[in-house]
Amino acid sequence: MQSDAKRPASNRLNNGSKSLRPLTSSYFKNRNLWPALGIPLVLLVTALQLRYQGRLWWCACQGFLWTSDAWGPRTSQTFLDPYSFTHILHGLMFCGLLALLVRGMSWRWRLFMALMIESAWELIENTNTVIERYREATAALGYQGDTVVNSLGDIICCGLGFMIARQLGWRRSIVVFVATELLLVIWIRDSLLLEIIMLIRPVSAIKAWQIGH
């Protein structure tokens, strides 16, 4: 029997590469687990930070899972509300933008990045400065900030939108985006684009139209 020292170098290299293959395969499989493990951590950290900012955990009202009244006191307090659809649109946009900006990244990591961005926005949105901006510039006159449960619902809706866009592709995602915007305008006199406009450069005519809902 030949010892390792007497074997040809090529044989020793082949044997070494074969022994590394299971380790390499396992490593890459584990890499796919990191985004899945990271998402619950992001949700947990976001929830704790929102609570630290003074947001309530959940709405102390009946039926805290859903409200259909976009202008009622339970909006932004229940788990889901009509504005949840705008966060689905966030996911549609993030899916497309991240696919363009980080082409070499797996969809799992892009989903993780999308939820990180959405979580950061929820933290910013629930600062006192932004809450006051909503009161002054938009028709949300009595806005008190989101509950933690509502913010988590928004983040989950963003992830749902991301997955929808991944399945539909960019063309059909644009159709869904436009259709959802139109539905929201008809239903609640508001939408994602109107929110952005009113926060950046308020239009008094839009605000008067929304208040007259």
Side-chain angles (χ1 to χ4, degrees), residues 66-179:
W66 164 257
T67 180
S68 60
D69 185 2
W71 303 101
R74 292 168 60 204
T75 292
S76 299
Q77 306 302 299
T78 55
F79 180 62
L80 298 173
D81 58 47
Y83 285 95
S84 300
F85 290 96
T86 66
H87 294 273
I88 292 176
L89 298 184
H90 289 181
L92 294 174
M93 292 191 303
F94 291 155
C95 184
L97 289 173
L98 291 173
L100 290 174
L101 296 175
V102 284
R103 293 175 181 270
M105 184 178 289
S106 73
W107 70 266
R108 293 176 180 85
W109 279 111
R110 291 200 298 269
L111 173 61
F112 176 77
M113 287 183 65
L115 296 183
M116 284 280 288
I117 297 169
E118 186 73 2
S119 297
W121 165 243
E122 287 297 320
L123 295 177
I124 295 169
E125 184 184 33
N126 283 282
T127 58
N128 291 330
T129 301
V130 177
I131 290 172
E132 286 297 326
R133 179 61 177 171
Y134 269 107
R135 290 175 183 168
E136 294 172 3
T138 74
L141 303 178
Y143 180 59
Q144 300 291 327
D146 302 344
T147 61
V148 175
V149 165
N150 180 261
S151 288
L152 294 179
D154 291 344
I155 297 168
I156 292 169
C157 284
C158 175
L160 175 62
F162 183 101
M163 297 304 295
I164 290 172
R166 182 172 175 267
Q167 292 297 318
L168 294 181
W170 68 271
R171 288 187 178 87
R172 285 183 289 180
S173 294
I174 291 175
V175 173
V176 171
F177 186 100
V178 173

